Amino acid sequence: MTEGVLAGLRVIELGQVLSGPFAGAIFADLGAEVIKVEKPDGGDDARQMGPAFRHGDALNFHEFNRGKQSVTLDLKSAEGVAALHALLADADIMLHNLRPGVAESLGIGPEEVTARHPQLIYCAMGAFGHVGPEKLRPGYEPLLQAFGGLSSITGEPGGPPVRMGASVVDQGTGMWTVLGALAMLERRHRTGRGGVVNTSLLETALLWAGQKISGYVNTGKVGERHASGHPNLVPYQSFDTADGPILVCCGNDRLFRRFAAELGHPEWSEDPRFATNRARLANHGELLPMIAALMGAVKRVEWLDRLQRIGVPCAPVNAIPEVLAEPQVQAMEMVQPVPGEDFSLVAMPLSFDGERPRMRGGAPRLGADNAKALGA
């Protein structure tokens, strides 16, 4: 694939730190021209968020800004705003995750910009949403995991709420922004006009917590934390083996019968306490310790071989180095060298006609493309 599927699309990104830059990185990896507008004094704060990795910038900055151009504009000045409008004149999409209210204070809010550029798709990424009493409140990943309920459903039963290890809210908001922009782009193909796409960290958090929220709304019951387990299936969790944890997923009674037989207890499948998933849910306190004792007596690789042979879904609970050593992970070529650099990053998790989009280059130096983009 010599050019990306979004070749010819022009995106102007006013992104800071993660959610906005991640949306821009998706567009860039898919072949769009992405011009990142940064403040002249230091640029995106993410450049300094961590030790210098390459070219004075932190690793996270490289992760979420590969393949873009960098232009510096002082948007607090009339000249800077005029230069931004010049960039938007032939752009398809503008996206920003500026602090709520900042775009409006600078005169580049959605109403002003779309009135001047009716073909433009304007994506505003907020923290707590574009309506409501908290709409001007700023926020970061852990705050919205806490506020949106995700922390309350993560962790060990009876333990404290836990932040998820990945930035699911920030990156999820970036994903929804791209999805919304492409949907609006399809509408523009039909109508010739752009519009405004609103996303927020809170809305993303609420969606990811959706099953628990729907459960409470419709049953009045607050879901419990299950660590690696599942609220509706047993056994469906990790167990310690003699040398490391393994996750076993018996998603139906047929799989449980195979699993029980492999454990040496085919009679469990006929036992009224364990014969059906609903019975196992009610009696998990009896069943799970017996499984754990049997699993702990045998090494992980043996359990993986035995369970995979009989078709019971299972997997090792891998640490990151173990993940990268997995032949399947290597075959997917998700970790790619960055063109023109001496390091690698994780690529986008999709393919077109069997081919994964390739990164087109590293992250830009601050203001490196002023002359090209602004004619300066």
Side-chain angles (χ1 to χ4, degrees):
M1 188 164 56
T2 56
E3 63 178 8
V5 293
L6 296 183
L9 197 70
R10 194 180 210 208
V11 178
I12 308 301
E13 175 211 307
L14 282 67
Q16 281 278 335
V17 183
L18 212 166
S19 60
F22 183 58
I26 295 173
F27 279 121
D29 277 8
L30 296 183
E33 177 190 19
V34 179
I35 299 177
K36 182 180 181 73
V37 176
E38 303 185 71
K39 57 184 181 291
D41 182 17
D44 184 343
D45 291 340
R47 289 183 181 271
Q48 306 299 319
M49 291 183 68
F53 175 69
R54 294 291 188 278
H55 318 304
D57 295 319
L59 177 56
N60 272 355
F61 181 80
H62 289 277
E63 183 86 39
F64 298 113
N65 291 282
R66 72 275 191 111
K68 302 177 186 178
Q69 303 172 41
S70 172
V71 165
T72 55
L73 293 177
D74 179 6
L75 295 177
K76 295 180 180 179
S77 70
E79 295 79 10
V81 172
L84 176 64
H85 280 296
L87 290 174
L88 295 175
D90 58 355
D92 299 288
I93 297 166
M94 170 184 162
L95 65 90
H96 77 76
N97 66 327
L98 299 171
R99 184 185 176 100
V102 167
E104 289 79 4
S105 71
L106 296 173
I108 56 171
E111 291 184 4
E112 298 96 327
V113 170
T114 55
R116 184 163 173 175
H117 308 283
Q119 86 293 345
L120 186 71
I121 296 159
Y122 184 110
C123 301
M125 308 167 70
F128 286 82
H130 64 288
V131 296
E134 306 283 0
K135 67 180 182 180
L136 295 180
R137 183 177 172 186
Y140 290 96
E141 174 79 28
L143 296 179
L144 273 300
Q145 284 199 25
F147 189 92
L150 288 175
S151 296
S152 76
I153 63 175
T154 306
E156 296 285 342
V162 174
R163 175 188 172 176
M164 294 184 181
S167 296
V168 294
V169 176
D170 270 320
Q171 291 186 260
T173 303
M175 291 168 54
W176 288 114
T177 299
V178 172
L179 179 60
L182 294 178
M184 191 71 84
L185 188 66
E186 177 59 26
R187 189 187 76 172
R188 194 184 75 177
H189 290 158
R190 301 192 308 271
T191 67
R193 62 185 176 87
V196 179
V197 176
N198 290 109
T199 56
S200 70
L201 305 185
L202 176 58
E203 289 166 278
T204 299
L206 293 174
L207 180 73
W208 295 157
Q211 293 182 65
K212 303 295 185 181
I213 291 172
S214 296
Y216 175 72
V217 167
N218 292 291
T219 69
K221 296 179 181 179
V222 177
E224 300 177 357
R225 288 191 288 273
H226 296 272
S228 65
H230 195 284
N232 298 316
L233 293 167
V234 171
Y236 204 96
Q237 64 181 70
S238 67
F239 296 96
D240 287 330
T241 70
D243 61 349
I246 179 176
L247 193 77
V248 178
C249 297
C250 293
N252 55 51
D253 295 336
R254 298 182 303 279
L255 290 171
F256 177 71
R257 284 195 291 272
R258 297 181 201 171
F259 182 53
E262 192 65 32
L263 290 175
H265 287 277
E267 73 279 4
W268 286 351
S269 299
E270 307 302 325
D271 189 321
R273 298 172 299 168
F274 312 136
T276 67
N277 181 61
R278 288 179 176 172
R280 294 191 295 277
L281 281 168
N283 297 286
H284 69 275
E286 299 174 65
L287 177 62
L288 293 177
M290 293 191 290
I291 295 175
L294 294 166
M295 297 289 289
V298 177
K299 289 187 175 182
R300 181 163 70 174
V301 66
E302 182 176 339
W303 278 126
L304 291 169
D305 289 342
R306 290 168 61 178
L307 297 180
Q308 289 173 4
R309 186 181 67 249
I310 62 173
V312 172
C314 60
V317 181
N318 282 330
I320 296 299
E322 294 171 314
V323 172
L324 296 174
E326 289 282 0
Q328 179 60 30
V329 173
Q330 294 175 0
M332 294 300 291
E333 297 184 338
M334 278 287 290
V335 179
Q336 296 180 0
V338 180
E341 301 285 2
D342 62 350
F343 59 91
S344 298
L345 296 172
V346 178
M348 290 297 160
L350 75 172
S351 297
F352 300 95
D353 298 324
E355 186 175 348
R356 188 176 310 285
R358 295 282 167 178
M359 302 174 207
R360 295 185 296 161
R365 315 297 193 274
L366 181 62
D369 301 285
N370 282 11
K372 173 184 174 184
L374 302 175

